[in-house]
Amino acid sequence: MGCGGRGFYRFFDLIDDFGCCGNKGFYHERHYEYDKYDEMITVIDRLYAEGKIDTEYYQRLRKEAAIGNLTMDDLMRIEINSQKKLNREYKDMDPELKKYYDKLNQIDKAKEESEKIKNDLLSEIENLKRKSESLEKAAETMISVDEASTKDYIKEKIEIESIISTLEKRKQDLDKDISEMDELKNELNLKILELKSLKQRERLNDLKFDIKGMNK
């Protein structure tokens, strides 16, 4: 992430590495700048993914960050203002639409929690696989020296592999749940689009009715 920013500052890295110009303090500031750049890009990407900024604003913020015209304080203010705007829009929203958006939020929270659990499972599975490999190597090493220890290693390895199998099944269940949540989100978004279209037609018909009444 942030290739554009790093490409520019990499020029200063090379100068620093070769000891040119002798101004170490300046180049260390450059390292600090592109570290901040990556942090800002992460925040900008998140704001865009959460729907708090539109595509045009997203692209503009990335450019501003790349040329050093943006700070983390700026992004905090942008996020606060965007959230206030979203809150106002939600408050003024049609009650029927609000119900659909509430369901979307519930799905987003459930998906976020499922993905966190999935990542924890993946991490634990990797740890157990490494332990299983270590036990297998230990068993191979001890087989000609201590048969009892070798059997203990193999027994523990089998138990760990059983746990791994169970965790992988839980991970598959979560993958299925996450996929179903994505389908539900798509379905809800279509319902929202359909309802918005109907509401717009209702407003148009009301407007036509009002105009006809004015002409009488």
Coordinates of all heavy atoms in Angstrom, one line a residue, residues 103-191:
K103 N -30.8 -3.4 9.7 CA -30.4 -4.9 9.4 C -29.0 -5.0 8.7 O -28.3 -5.9 9.1 CB -31.5 -5.5 8.5 CG -32.8 -5.7 9.1 CD -32.8 -6.6 10.3 CE -34.2 -6.8 10.9 NZ -34.1 -7.6 12.1
L104 N -28.7 -4.0 7.8 CA -27.4 -4.0 7.2 C -26.3 -3.8 8.3 O -25.3 -4.5 8.2 CB -27.3 -2.9 6.2 CG -27.8 -3.2 4.7 CD1 -27.6 -1.9 3.9 CD2 -27.0 -4.3 4.1
N105 N -26.5 -2.9 9.2 CA -25.6 -2.7 10.3 C -25.4 -3.9 11.1 O -24.3 -4.2 11.5 CB -26.0 -1.5 11.1 CG -25.9 -0.2 10.4 OD1 -25.0 0.0 9.5 ND2 -26.7 0.8 10.8
Q106 N -26.5 -4.6 11.4 CA -26.4 -5.8 12.2 C -25.6 -6.9 11.5 O -24.8 -7.6 12.1 CB -27.8 -6.3 12.5 CG -28.6 -5.5 13.5 CD -30.0 -5.9 13.6 OE1 -30.4 -7.1 13.4 NE2 -30.9 -5.0 14.0
I107 N -25.8 -7.0 10.2 CA -25.0 -8.0 9.4 C -23.6 -7.6 9.4 O -22.7 -8.5 9.5 CB -25.6 -8.1 8.0 CG1 -27.0 -8.7 8.0 CG2 -24.7 -8.9 7.1 CD1 -27.7 -8.7 6.6
D108 N -23.3 -6.3 9.2 CA -21.9 -5.9 9.2 C -21.2 -6.2 10.5 O -20.0 -6.7 10.5 CB -21.8 -4.4 8.9 CG -22.0 -4.0 7.5 OD1 -21.8 -4.9 6.6 OD2 -22.4 -2.9 7.2
K109 N -21.8 -6.0 11.6 CA -21.2 -6.3 12.9 C -21.0 -7.8 13.1 O -20.0 -8.2 13.6 CB -22.1 -5.7 14.0 CG -22.1 -4.2 14.1 CD -23.0 -3.7 15.2 CE -23.0 -2.2 15.3 NZ -24.0 -1.7 16.3
A110 N -22.0 -8.6 12.7 CA -21.9 -10.0 12.8 C -20.8 -10.6 11.9 O -20.0 -11.4 12.3 CB -23.2 -10.7 12.4
K111 N -20.6 -10.0 10.7 CA -19.6 -10.4 9.8 C -18.2 -10.0 10.3 O -17.3 -10.8 10.2 CB -19.8 -9.7 8.4 CG -18.8 -10.2 7.4 CD -19.0 -9.5 6.0 CE -17.9 -9.9 5.0 NZ -18.1 -9.2 3.7
E112 N -18.1 -8.8 10.9 CA -16.8 -8.4 11.5 C -16.4 -9.3 12.6 O -15.2 -9.7 12.7 CB -17.0 -7.0 12.0 CG -15.7 -6.4 12.5 CD -15.9 -4.9 13.0 OE1 -16.9 -4.3 12.8 OE2 -15.0 -4.4 13.7
E113 N -17.3 -9.7 13.4 CA -17.0 -10.6 14.5 C -16.7 -12.0 14.0 O -15.7 -12.6 14.5 CB -18.2 -10.7 15.5 CG -18.0 -11.6 16.7 CD -16.9 -11.1 17.6 OE1 -16.7 -9.8 17.6 OE2 -16.3 -11.9 18.3
S114 N -17.4 -12.5 13.0 CA -17.1 -13.8 12.4 C -15.7 -13.8 11.8 O -14.9 -14.8 11.9 CB -18.1 -14.2 11.3 OG -19.4 -14.4 11.9
E115 N -15.3 -12.7 11.1 CA -14.0 -12.6 10.5 C -12.9 -12.6 11.5 O -11.8 -13.2 11.3 CB -13.9 -11.4 9.6 CG -14.7 -11.6 8.3 CD -14.7 -10.4 7.4 OE1 -14.5 -9.3 7.9 OE2 -15.0 -10.6 6.1
K116 N -13.2 -11.9 12.6 CA -12.2 -11.9 13.7 C -12.0 -13.3 14.3 O -10.8 -13.7 14.5 CB -12.7 -11.0 14.8 CG -11.7 -10.8 16.0 CD -12.3 -9.9 17.1 CE -11.3 -9.7 18.2 NZ -11.0 -11.0 18.9
I117 N -13.1 -14.0 14.5 CA -13.0 -15.4 15.1 C -12.2 -16.3 14.1 O -11.4 -17.1 14.4 CB -14.4 -16.0 15.4 CG1 -15.0 -15.2 16.5 CG2 -14.3 -17.4 15.8 CD1 -16.5 -15.5 16.7
K118 N -12.5 -16.1 12.8 CA -11.9 -16.9 11.7 C -10.4 -16.6 11.7 O -9.6 -17.6 11.6 CB -12.5 -16.5 10.4 CG -11.8 -17.2 9.2 CD -12.4 -16.6 7.9 CE -11.5 -17.0 6.7 NZ -12.0 -16.5 5.4
N119 N -10.0 -15.4 11.9 CA -8.5 -15.1 11.9 C -7.9 -15.7 13.1 O -6.7 -16.1 13.0 CB -8.3 -13.5 11.9 CG -8.7 -12.9 10.5 OD1 -8.6 -13.6 9.5 ND2 -9.0 -11.7 10.5
D120 N -8.6 -15.7 14.2 CA -8.0 -16.3 15.5 C -7.9 -17.8 15.3 O -6.9 -18.4 15.7 CB -8.9 -16.0 16.7 CG -8.9 -14.6 17.1 OD1 -8.0 -13.8 16.7 OD2 -9.9 -14.1 17.8
L121 N -8.9 -18.4 14.6 CA -8.8 -19.8 14.3 C -7.6 -20.2 13.4 O -6.8 -21.1 13.6 CB -10.1 -20.3 13.6 CG -11.3 -20.5 14.5 CD1 -12.5 -20.9 13.7 CD2 -11.0 -21.7 15.5
L122 N -7.4 -19.3 12.3 CA -6.3 -19.6 11.4 C -5.0 -19.5 12.1 O -4.1 -20.3 11.9 CB -6.4 -18.5 10.3 CG -7.5 -18.8 9.2 CD1 -7.6 -17.6 8.3 CD2 -7.2 -20.0 8.4
S123 N -4.9 -18.5 13.0 CA -3.6 -18.3 13.8 C -3.3 -19.5 14.7 O -2.2 -20.0 14.7 CB -3.7 -17.0 14.6 OG -2.6 -16.9 15.4
E124 N -4.4 -20.0 15.3 CA -4.2 -21.2 16.2 C -3.9 -22.4 15.4 O -3.1 -23.3 15.8 CB -5.5 -21.4 17.0 CG -5.4 -22.5 18.1 CD -4.3 -22.2 19.1 OE1 -4.0 -21.0 19.4 OE2 -3.8 -23.2 19.6
I125 N -4.6 -22.6 14.3 CA -4.3 -23.7 13.4 C -2.8 -23.8 13.0 O -2.2 -24.8 13.0 CB -5.2 -23.7 12.2 CG1 -6.7 -24.1 12.6 CG2 -4.7 -24.7 11.1 CD1 -7.7 -23.9 11.5
E126 N -2.3 -22.6 12.6 CA -0.9 -22.5 12.2 C 0.0 -22.9 13.3 O 1.0 -23.6 13.1 CB -0.6 -21.1 11.6 CG -1.2 -20.8 10.3 CD -0.8 -21.8 9.2 OE1 0.5 -22.1 9.1 OE2 -1.6 -22.3 8.5
N127 N -0.3 -22.4 14.5 CA 0.5 -22.7 15.7 C 0.5 -24.2 16.0 O 1.6 -24.8 16.2 CB 0.0 -22.0 16.9 CG 0.3 -20.5 16.9 OD1 1.2 -20.0 16.2 ND2 -0.5 -19.7 17.6
L128 N -0.6 -24.8 15.9 CA -0.7 -26.3 16.1 C 0.0 -27.1 15.0 O 0.6 -28.1 15.3 CB -2.2 -26.7 16.2 CG -3.0 -26.2 17.5 CD1 -4.5 -26.5 17.3 CD2 -2.4 -26.9 18.7
K129 N -0.1 -26.6 13.8 CA 0.6 -27.3 12.7 C 2.1 -27.3 12.9 O 2.8 -28.3 12.7 CB 0.3 -26.7 11.4 CG -1.1 -27.1 10.8 CD -1.4 -26.5 9.5 CE -2.7 -27.0 8.9 NZ -3.0 -26.4 7.6
R130 N 2.6 -26.1 13.4 CA 4.1 -26.1 13.7 C 4.5 -27.0 14.8 O 5.5 -27.6 14.8 CB 4.4 -24.6 14.0 CG 4.5 -23.7 12.8 CD 5.2 -22.4 13.2 NE 4.4 -21.5 14.0 CZ 3.5 -20.7 13.6 NH1 3.3 -20.5 12.3 NH2 2.8 -20.0 14.4
K131 N 3.6 -27.1 15.8 CA 3.8 -27.9 17.0 C 3.8 -29.4 16.5 O 4.6 -30.2 17.0 CB 2.8 -27.7 18.1 CG 3.1 -28.4 19.4 CD 2.2 -28.0 20.5 CE 2.5 -28.8 21.8 NZ 1.6 -28.4 22.9
S132 N 2.9 -29.7 15.6 CA 2.8 -31.1 15.1 C 4.0 -31.5 14.3 O 4.5 -32.6 14.5 CB 1.5 -31.2 14.2 OG 1.4 -32.5 13.6
E133 N 4.5 -30.6 13.5 CA 5.7 -30.8 12.8 C 6.9 -31.0 13.7 O 7.8 -31.9 13.5 CB 6.0 -29.7 11.8 CG 5.0 -29.6 10.7 CD 5.2 -28.3 9.9 OE1 6.1 -27.5 10.2 OE2 4.4 -28.1 8.9
S134 N 7.0 -30.2 14.8 CA 8.1 -30.4 15.7 C 8.0 -31.7 16.4 O 9.1 -32.4 16.7 CB 8.0 -29.3 16.8 OG 8.2 -28.0 16.2
L135 N 6.8 -32.2 16.8 CA 6.7 -33.5 17.4 C 7.1 -34.6 16.5 O 7.7 -35.6 16.9 CB 5.2 -33.7 17.9 CG 4.8 -32.8 19.1 CD1 3.3 -32.9 19.2 CD2 5.5 -33.4 20.4
E136 N 6.7 -34.5 15.2 CA 7.1 -35.5 14.2 C 8.6 -35.6 14.1 O 9.2 -36.7 14.0 CB 6.5 -35.2 12.9 CG 6.7 -36.2 11.8 CD 6.0 -35.9 10.5 OE1 5.2 -35.0 10.5 OE2 6.2 -36.7 9.5
K137 N 9.3 -34.4 14.0 CA 10.8 -34.5 14.0 C 11.4 -35.0 15.2 O 12.4 -35.8 15.1 CB 11.3 -33.0 13.7 CG 11.0 -32.5 12.4 CD 11.4 -31.0 12.2 CE 11.1 -30.5 10.9 NZ 11.4 -29.0 10.7
A138 N 10.8 -34.7 16.4 CA 11.3 -35.3 17.6 C 11.1 -36.8 17.7 O 12.0 -37.5 18.1 CB 10.5 -34.6 18.8
A139 N 10.0 -37.3 17.2 CA 9.7 -38.7 17.1 C 10.7 -39.4 16.2 O 11.3 -40.5 16.5 CB 8.3 -39.0 16.7
E140 N 11.0 -38.8 15.1 CA 12.0 -39.4 14.1 C 13.4 -39.4 14.7 O 14.2 -40.4 14.5 CB 12.0 -38.6 12.8 CG 10.8 -38.7 12.0 CD 10.7 -37.7 10.8 OE1 11.7 -36.9 10.7 OE2 9.8 -37.8 10.0
T141 N 13.7 -38.4 15.5 CA 15.0 -38.3 16.2 C 15.2 -39.4 17.3 O 16.2 -40.0 17.4 CB 15.3 -36.9 16.8 OG1 15.1 -36.0 15.8 CG2 16.6 -36.8 17.4
M142 N 14.1 -39.6 18.0 CA 14.2 -40.5 19.2 C 13.9 -42.0 18.9 O 14.1 -42.8 19.7 CB 13.1 -40.0 20.2 CG 13.4 -38.6 20.8 SD 15.0 -38.6 21.7 CE 14.6 -39.6 23.1
I143 N 13.4 -42.3 17.7 CA 12.9 -43.6 17.4 C 14.0 -44.7 17.6 O 13.7 -45.8 18.0 CB 12.4 -43.7 15.9 CG1 11.6 -45.0 15.8 CG2 13.5 -43.6 14.9 CD1 10.7 -45.0 14.5
S144 N 15.2 -44.4 17.4 CA 16.3 -45.4 17.6 C 16.9 -45.3 18.9 O 17.8 -46.1 19.3 CB 17.4 -45.3 16.5 OG 17.9 -44.0 16.5
V145 N 16.5 -44.3 19.7 CA 17.1 -44.1 21.1 C 16.1 -44.4 22.2 O 16.5 -45.1 23.2 CB 17.5 -42.6 21.2 CG1 18.2 -42.4 22.5 CG2 18.5 -42.2 20.1
D146 N 14.9 -44.0 22.1 CA 13.9 -44.1 23.2 C 12.5 -44.4 22.6 O 11.8 -43.5 22.2 CB 13.9 -42.9 24.1 CG 13.1 -43.0 25.3 OD1 12.2 -43.9 25.4 OD2 13.3 -42.2 26.3
E147 N 12.2 -45.6 22.6 CA 10.9 -46.0 22.0 C 9.7 -45.5 22.7 O 8.7 -45.0 22.1 CB 10.8 -47.6 21.9 CG 9.6 -48.1 21.2 CD 9.5 -49.6 21.1 OE1 10.5 -50.2 21.3 OE2 8.4 -50.1 20.8
A148 N 9.8 -45.4 24.1 CA 8.7 -44.9 24.9 C 8.4 -43.4 24.6 O 7.3 -43.0 24.4 CB 9.0 -45.1 26.4
S149 N 9.5 -42.6 24.5 CA 9.4 -41.2 24.2 C 8.8 -41.0 22.8 O 8.0 -40.1 22.6 CB 10.7 -40.5 24.3 OG 11.2 -40.5 25.6
T150 N 9.3 -41.9 21.9 CA 8.8 -41.8 20.5 C 7.3 -42.0 20.4 O 6.5 -41.2 19.8 CB 9.5 -42.8 19.6 OG1 10.9 -42.6 19.6 CG2 9.0 -42.7 18.2
K151 N 6.8 -43.0 21.2 CA 5.3 -43.2 21.2 C 4.6 -42.1 21.8 O 3.5 -41.7 21.4 CB 5.0 -44.5 22.0 CG 5.5 -45.8 21.3 CD 5.2 -47.0 22.1 CE 5.5 -48.3 21.4 NZ 5.3 -49.5 22.2
D152 N 5.1 -41.4 22.9 CA 4.5 -40.3 23.5 C 4.4 -39.1 22.5 O 3.4 -38.4 22.4 CB 5.3 -39.8 24.7 CG 5.2 -40.8 25.9 OD1 4.2 -41.6 25.9 OD2 6.0 -40.8 26.8
Y153 N 5.5 -38.9 21.7 CA 5.5 -37.8 20.7 C 4.4 -38.1 19.7 O 3.6 -37.2 19.3 CB 6.8 -37.7 20.0 CG 7.9 -37.1 20.9 CD1 9.2 -37.7 20.9 CD2 7.7 -36.0 21.7 CE1 10.2 -37.1 21.7 CE2 8.7 -35.4 22.5 CZ 10.0 -36.0 22.5 OH 10.9 -35.5 23.2
I154 N 4.3 -39.3 19.2 CA 3.3 -39.7 18.2 C 1.9 -39.6 18.7 O 1.0 -39.0 18.0 CB 3.6 -41.1 17.7 CG1 4.9 -41.2 16.9 CG2 2.5 -41.6 16.8 CD1 5.4 -42.6 16.5
K155 N 1.7 -40.0 20.0 CA 0.4 -39.9 20.6 C -0.1 -38.4 20.7 O -1.2 -38.0 20.3 CB 0.4 -40.5 21.9 CG -1.0 -40.5 22.6 CD -0.9 -41.1 24.0 CE -2.2 -41.0 24.8 NZ -2.1 -41.6 26.1
E156 N 0.9 -37.5 21.1 CA 0.6 -36.1 21.2 C 0.3 -35.5 19.8 O -0.6 -34.7 19.7 CB 1.7 -35.4 21.9 CG 1.4 -33.9 22.2 CD 2.5 -33.2 23.0 OE1 3.5 -33.9 23.4 OE2 2.3 -32.0 23.2
K157 N 1.1 -35.9 18.9 CA 0.9 -35.4 17.5 C -0.5 -35.8 17.0 O -1.2 -35.0 16.3 CB 2.0 -36.0 16.6 CG 1.9 -35.5 15.1 CD 3.0 -36.1 14.3 CE 3.0 -35.6 12.9 NZ 1.8 -36.1 12.1
I158 N -0.9 -37.0 17.2 CA -2.3 -37.4 16.8 C -3.4 -36.6 17.4 O -4.4 -36.2 16.8 CB -2.5 -39.0 17.1 CG1 -1.6 -39.8 16.2 CG2 -3.9 -39.4 16.9 CD1 -1.5 -41.3 16.6
E159 N -3.2 -36.3 18.7 CA -4.2 -35.5 19.5 C -4.2 -34.1 18.9 O -5.3 -33.5 18.7 CB -3.8 -35.4 20.9 CG -4.0 -36.8 21.7 CD -3.5 -36.7 23.1 OE1 -2.8 -35.7 23.5 OE2 -3.7 -37.7 23.9
I160 N -3.1 -33.5 18.6 CA -3.0 -32.2 18.0 C -3.7 -32.2 16.6 O -4.4 -31.2 16.3 CB -1.6 -31.7 17.9 CG1 -1.1 -31.3 19.3 CG2 -1.5 -30.5 17.0 CD1 0.4 -31.0 19.4
E161 N -3.4 -33.2 15.8 CA -4.0 -33.3 14.5 C -5.6 -33.4 14.5 O -6.3 -32.9 13.7 CB -3.4 -34.4 13.7 CG -2.0 -34.1 13.2 CD -1.4 -35.3 12.5 OE1 -1.9 -36.4 12.6 OE2 -0.3 -35.1 11.9
S162 N -6.0 -34.0 15.6 CA -7.5 -34.1 15.8 C -8.1 -32.7 16.1 O -9.1 -32.4 15.6 CB -7.8 -35.1 16.9 OG -9.2 -35.1 17.2
I163 N -7.3 -32.0 16.9 CA -7.8 -30.6 17.3 C -7.8 -29.7 16.0 O -8.7 -29.0 15.8 CB -6.9 -30.0 18.4 CG1 -7.0 -30.8 19.7 CG2 -7.2 -28.5 18.6 CD1 -6.0 -30.4 20.7
I164 N -6.7 -29.9 15.2 CA -6.6 -29.1 14.0 C -7.8 -29.4 13.1 O -8.4 -28.5 12.5 CB -5.2 -29.4 13.2 CG1 -4.1 -28.9 14.0 CG2 -5.3 -28.9 11.8 CD1 -2.7 -29.3 13.5
S165 N -8.1 -30.7 12.9 CA -9.2 -31.1 12.1 C -10.5 -30.4 12.5 O -11.3 -29.9 11.7 CB -9.4 -32.6 12.1 OG -10.5 -33.0 11.3
T166 N -10.7 -30.4 13.9 CA -12.0 -29.8 14.4 C -12.0 -28.3 14.1 O -13.0 -27.7 13.7 CB -12.0 -30.0 15.9 OG1 -12.1 -31.4 16.2 CG2 -13.3 -29.4 16.5
L167 N -10.8 -27.6 14.4 CA -10.7 -26.2 14.1 C -10.9 -25.8 12.7 O -11.6 -24.8 12.3 CB -9.4 -25.6 14.6 CG -9.2 -25.7 16.1 CD1 -7.8 -25.1 16.5 CD2 -10.3 -24.9 16.9
E168 N -10.4 -26.6 11.8 CA -10.6 -26.4 10.3 C -12.1 -26.5 9.9 O -12.5 -25.8 9.0 CB -9.7 -27.3 9.5 CG -8.2 -26.9 9.6 CD -7.3 -27.9 8.8 OE1 -7.7 -29.1 8.6 OE2 -6.3 -27.4 8.4
K169 N -12.8 -27.4 10.6 CA -14.2 -27.5 10.3 C -15.0 -26.3 10.8 O -15.9 -25.8 10.1 CB -14.8 -28.8 11.0 CG -14.4 -30.1 10.3 CD -14.9 -31.3 11.1 CE -14.5 -32.6 10.4 NZ -14.9 -33.8 11.2
R170 N -14.6 -25.8 12.0 CA -15.2 -24.5 12.5 C -14.9 -23.4 11.5 O -15.7 -22.5 11.3 CB -14.6 -24.2 13.9 CG -14.9 -25.2 15.0 CD -16.4 -25.3 15.4 NE -17.2 -26.1 14.5 CZ -17.2 -27.4 14.5 NH1 -16.5 -28.1 15.4 NH2 -18.0 -28.1 13.6
K171 N -13.7 -23.4 11.0 CA -13.3 -22.3 10.0 C -14.1 -22.4 8.8 O -14.6 -21.4 8.2 CB -11.8 -22.4 9.7 CG -11.2 -21.4 8.8 CD -11.0 -21.9 7.4 CE -10.5 -20.8 6.5 NZ -10.5 -21.2 5.1
Q172 N -14.4 -23.6 8.3 CA -15.2 -23.8 7.1 C -16.6 -23.3 7.4 O -17.3 -22.7 6.5 CB -15.2 -25.3 6.7 CG -13.9 -25.7 6.1 CD -13.8 -27.2 5.9 OE1 -14.8 -27.9 6.1 NE2 -12.6 -27.7 5.5
D173 N -17.1 -23.6 8.6 CA -18.5 -23.2 8.9 C -18.6 -21.6 8.9 O -19.5 -21.1 8.4 CB -18.8 -23.7 10.3 CG -19.1 -25.2 10.4 OD1 -19.3 -25.8 9.3 OD2 -19.0 -25.8 11.5
L174 N -17.5 -21.0 9.4 CA -17.5 -19.5 9.4 C -17.4 -19.0 8.0 O -18.0 -18.0 7.7 CB -16.3 -19.0 10.2 CG -16.4 -19.1 11.8 CD1 -15.1 -18.8 12.5 CD2 -17.5 -18.1 12.2
D175 N -16.6 -19.6 7.1 CA -16.6 -19.2 5.7 C -18.0 -19.3 5.1 O -18.3 -18.3 4.4 CB -15.6 -20.1 4.9 CG -14.2 -19.8 5.2 OD1 -13.9 -18.6 5.5 OD2 -13.3 -20.7 5.0
K176 N -18.7 -20.3 5.4 CA -20.1 -20.5 4.9 C -21.0 -19.4 5.5 O -21.7 -18.7 4.7 CB -20.6 -21.8 5.3 CG -22.0 -22.1 4.7 CD -22.5 -23.5 5.1 CE -23.9 -23.8 4.6 NZ -24.4 -25.1 5.0
D177 N -20.8 -19.1 6.8 CA -21.6 -18.0 7.4 C -21.3 -16.7 6.8 O -22.3 -15.9 6.5 CB -21.3 -18.0 8.9 CG -21.9 -19.2 9.6 OD1 -22.7 -19.9 9.1 OD2 -21.4 -19.4 10.8
I178 N -20.1 -16.4 6.6 CA -19.7 -15.1 6.0 C -20.2 -14.9 4.6 O -20.7 -13.9 4.2 CB -18.1 -14.9 6.0 CG1 -17.6 -14.8 7.5 CG2 -17.6 -13.8 5.2 CD1 -16.1 -14.9 7.6
S179 N -20.1 -16.0 3.8 CA -20.7 -16.0 2.4 C -22.2 -15.8 2.5 O -22.7 -15.0 1.6 CB -20.4 -17.4 1.8 OG -20.9 -17.4 0.5
E180 N -22.9 -16.4 3.4 CA -24.3 -16.2 3.5 C -24.7 -14.7 3.9 O -25.6 -14.1 3.4 CB -24.9 -17.1 4.5 CG -25.0 -18.6 4.0 CD -25.5 -19.5 5.1 OE1 -25.7 -19.1 6.2 OE2 -25.7 -20.7 4.7
M181 N -23.8 -14.2 4.8 CA -24.0 -12.8 5.2 C -23.8 -11.8 4.0 O -24.6 -10.8 3.9 CB -23.1 -12.4 6.3 CG -23.6 -12.9 7.7 SD -22.6 -12.4 9.1 CE -21.4 -13.7 9.2
D182 N -22.9 -12.1 3.1 CA -22.7 -11.3 1.9 C -23.9 -11.4 1.0 O -24.3 -10.4 0.4 CB -21.4 -11.8 1.2 CG -20.1 -11.4 1.9 OD1 -20.1 -10.3 2.6 OD2 -19.1 -12.0 1.7
E183 N -24.4 -12.6 0.9 CA -25.7 -12.7 0.1 C -26.8 -11.9 0.7 O -27.6 -11.3 -0.1 CB -26.0 -14.2 0.0 CG -25.1 -15.0 -0.9 CD -25.4 -16.5 -0.9 OE1 -26.5 -16.9 -0.4 OE2 -24.6 -17.3 -1.4
L184 N -27.0 -12.0 2.0 CA -28.0 -11.2 2.7 C -27.8 -9.7 2.5 O -28.8 -9.0 2.2 CB -28.0 -11.5 4.2 CG -28.7 -12.9 4.6 CD1 -28.4 -13.1 6.1 CD2 -30.2 -12.9 4.3
K185 N -26.6 -9.3 2.5 CA -26.3 -7.9 2.3 C -26.7 -7.4 0.9 O -27.3 -6.4 0.7 CB -24.8 -7.6 2.5 CG -24.4 -7.4 3.9 CD -23.0 -6.9 4.1 CE -22.8 -5.5 3.6 NZ -21.5 -4.9 3.9
N186 N -26.4 -8.3 -0.1 CA -26.7 -8.0 -1.5 C -28.3 -7.9 -1.6 O -28.8 -7.0 -2.3 CB -26.2 -9.1 -2.4 CG -24.7 -9.0 -2.6 OD1 -24.1 -7.9 -2.3 ND2 -24.0 -10.1 -2.9
E187 N -28.9 -8.9 -1.0 CA -30.4 -8.9 -1.0 C -31.0 -7.6 -0.4 O -31.9 -7.0 -1.0 CB -30.9 -10.1 -0.3 CG -32.4 -10.4 -0.4 CD -32.8 -11.6 0.3 OE1 -32.0 -12.6 0.4 OE2 -34.0 -11.7 0.7
L188 N -30.5 -7.2 0.7 CA -31.0 -6.0 1.4 C -30.7 -4.8 0.6 O -31.5 -3.9 0.5 CB -30.3 -5.9 2.8 CG -30.9 -6.7 3.9 CD1 -30.0 -6.7 5.2 CD2 -32.3 -6.2 4.3
N189 N -29.5 -4.7 0.0 CA -29.2 -3.5 -0.8 C -30.1 -3.4 -2.0 O -30.5 -2.3 -2.4 CB -27.7 -3.6 -1.3 CG -26.7 -3.2 -0.2 OD1 -27.0 -2.2 0.5 ND2 -25.6 -3.9 -0.1
L190 N -30.5 -4.6 -2.6 CA -31.5 -4.5 -3.7 C -32.8 -4.0 -3.2 O -33.5 -3.3 -3.9 CB -31.6 -5.9 -4.3 CG -30.4 -6.4 -5.2 CD1 -30.6 -7.8 -5.6 CD2 -30.3 -5.5 -6.4
K191 N -33.2 -4.5 -2.0 CA -34.5 -4.1 -1.4 C -34.5 -2.6 -1.2 O -35.5 -1.9 -1.4 CB -34.8 -4.8 -0.1 CG -35.1 -6.3 -0.2 CD -36.5 -6.5 -0.7 CE -36.8 -8.0 -0.7 NZ -38.2 -8.2 -1.2

